[in-house]
Amino acid sequence: MTRAELLEWLRGADDAALFAAADKIRRERYGTEVFLRGIVEFSNHCVKRCRYCGLRAPNTRAQRYRLAPADILEAAALAARLGLGTVVLQSGDDPFYDRETIAALVRRIKREHDLAVTLSLGDRTDEEFACWKEAGADRYLLKIETGDKTLYERNRPGERIEDRLERVRCLKKYGYEVGSGVIVDLPGMDLEILAADIETLAGLELDMLAAGPFIPHPDTPLRSAPQGLLAPALRTSALLRILNPWANIASTSALDAAAPNGRKLGLNAGCNVLMPSLTPEKVRADYAIYPGKNAAGIQDNVRKLQQDIRELGLEPSNSQGFARRSSYVRKSPPGRQAGDYAGRTP
Ligand code: SAH
Ligand code: SF4
């Protein structure tokens, strides 16, 4: 797909055709299955200062918490009991949980449960990544947020996009299934930047992808910036599906923050993964990356998602849900798929 074509789709030339093409590819790879990953947000402490995020270190209004290992293990056990095939351990960039603490948690979860383990702990060292893989972790999520150097470095003070990209590549080398993604409509992002980001993600050949809209948080420097819209985030998800047919693509909770039913619409636009929060009730509202996150209780939320999936004619799956790569890996983004939306010049 050329840059010009990407831009036309992103401008909304024909959403119905775009979403139908993405849906068709998802069904070819994943049938009607939707994977559920239970996410345990075990610490909202963070040493970073991302301008978009409510967990940023300078936010003195955040109620900070750290879960004890026993609580994290209990939440993982809940994932198993609820029939979710994967537990995702996520936190702010919080060095309090050192290499050995995380490794011990991963080992215990892998020993006690038939669960895939995904880590999303931010920018950690090569030694830590290697150790946690060795301990049994299956996957790592590290979003690039945007690949645009100026935008990235303005919004993640002190960080360099080259380092983020290098970490993503390094995680692949260690044998993780690796996921990344972008914040769509991050203030300052235009469609050219978004198109380039989609190409960058496709070039990384990742197993997991996510495109969530920007949701302003009142206790951040971007409090007055306009909220990201649903449509560009859905278009981005659909384009990611078309360019990465084998990938697991999350319908992010930020889609629900952008519009009611946002996540359901994501499942119709090429996404095949939902990530309900399993963070214990006593702290879950404090994991406020953006407002409204984790408003509902755990079991109600999981049940509602399962019902949403069925209403779409899809099936909530209890599989561990590894990416379905075929016998080859595309080396470059494919052109249009014959019969999908051939002949259209959006
Ligand atoms: N600290 C880790 C993981 C937790 S943050 C890291 O940064 O990688 C998880 C994700 O939340 C980030 O990758 C970012 O994409 C998303 N996020 C943060 N603030 C957001 C906002 N205001 N709107 C939408 N997504 C946001
Ligand atoms: Fe910390 Fe991640 Fe939020 Fe950045 S996005 S402030 S690293 S939790």
Side-chain angles (χ1 to χ4, degrees):
M1 194 183 297
T2 65
R3 171 70 66 89
E5 287 169 332
L6 258 181
L7 280 167
E8 284 304 302
W9 290 121
L10 285 175
R11 287 190 192 108
D14 190 343
D15 282 346
L18 176 63
F19 299 158
D23 187 59
K24 180 165 182 283
I25 295 172
R26 179 182 61 78
R27 281 171 193 270
E28 281 163 11
R29 295 286 166 145
Y30 289 98
T32 53
E33 264 185 296
V34 175
F35 301 133
L36 292 160
R37 328 278 206 204
I39 177 161
V40 185
E41 298 134 331
F42 63 87
S43 163
N44 69 353
H45 287 257
C46 189
V47 296
K48 298 276 168 77
R49 291 174 289 145
C50 306
R51 292 175 76 242
Y52 40 83
C53 180
L55 307 191
R56 62 198 307 271
N59 178 14
T60 51
R61 295 170 67 95
Q63 295 284 329
R64 304 284 174 176
Y65 69 85
R66 287 188 174 111
L67 292 185
D71 289 335
I72 302 173
L73 292 169
E74 178 49 39
L78 178 61
R81 279 205 302 284
L82 292 174
L84 312 178
T86 295
V87 66
V88 183
L89 304 185
Q90 192 183 69
S91 66
D93 286 28
D94 184 5
F96 177 85
Y97 297 83
D98 61 11
R99 189 179 70 182
E100 274 317 306
T101 307
I102 298 292
L105 279 168
V106 172
R107 271 187 224 108
R108 245 332 262 269
I109 295 171
K110 293 299 287 186
R111 197 168 60 231
E112 291 175 8
H113 305 287
D114 187 18
L115 287 171
V117 173
T118 302
L119 300 176
S120 176
L121 316 181
D123 299 317
R124 307 292 294 242
T125 64
D126 286 7
E127 292 71 32
E128 288 173 312
F129 292 151
C131 167
W132 300 333
K133 186 76 193 67
E134 184 70 28
D138 300 282
R139 314 190 178 109
Y140 203 99
L141 293 176
L142 192 69
K143 293 201 204 170
I144 62 168
E145 321 296 3
T146 176
D148 183 82
K149 189 170 172 59
T150 309
L151 196 58
Y152 182 92
E153 292 174 9
R154 185 193 312 149
N155 283 294
R156 305 199 76 223
E159 304 294 314
R160 289 176 356 129
I161 184 61
E162 294 84 359
D163 296 338
R164 193 79 162 177
L165 289 168
E166 190 46 40
R167 269 184 213 107
V168 169
R169 293 193 191 98
C170 164
L171 285 160
K172 285 180 65 173
K173 271 191 274 170
Y174 287 126
Y176 288 94
E177 276 204 352
V178 179
S180 192
V182 287
I183 303 180
V184 178
D185 284 336
L186 192 60
M189 178 183 275
D190 58 21
L191 291 186
E192 282 283 348
I193 292 178
L194 182 55
D197 286 351
I198 292 170
E199 289 170 353
T200 299
L201 288 172
L204 289 165
E205 295 181 340
L206 299 170
D207 296 298
M208 299 173 283
L209 293 158
F214 165 71
I215 311 292
H217 187 292
D219 304 322
T220 65
L222 298 180
R223 64 181 69 82
S224 313
Q227 177 170 303
L229 298 176
L230 181 67
L234 291 178
R235 289 174 196 143
T236 304
S237 301
L239 289 162
L240 288 172
R241 166 62 64 206
I242 292 166
L243 297 176
N244 308 272
W246 63 83
N248 278 314
I249 302 185
S251 193
T252 60
S253 47
L255 287 170
D256 268 355
N261 275 345
R263 270 198 280 192
K264 258 174 125 171
L265 295 168
L267 292 178
N268 278 335
C271 298
N272 69 319
V273 171
L274 292 179
M275 297 172 64
S277 165
L278 300 184
T279 303
E281 308 282 354
K282 60 183 177 189
V283 295
R284 55 193 276 111
D286 293 328
Y287 197 77
I289 285 177
Y290 48 77
K293 192 163 161 35
N294 291 355
I298 296 175
Q299 311 254 4
D300 288 353
N301 188 35
V302 172
R303 264 196 295 274
K304 162 129 189 3
L305 292 179
Q306 288 169 331
Q307 192 185 326
D308 285 351
I309 292 167
R310 290 197 185 93
E311 276 170 20
L312 294 170
L314 302 170
E315 277 302 311
S317 168
N318 57 9
S319 147
Q320 296 194 353
F322 285 90
R324 296 203 184 135
R325 282 179 181 269
S326 48
S327 51
Y328 68 98
V329 174
R330 288 185 203 273
K331 290 291 172 226
S332 60
R336 291 179 170 183
Q337 307 290 305
D340 282 348
Y341 45 103
R344 281 176 202 282
T345 34

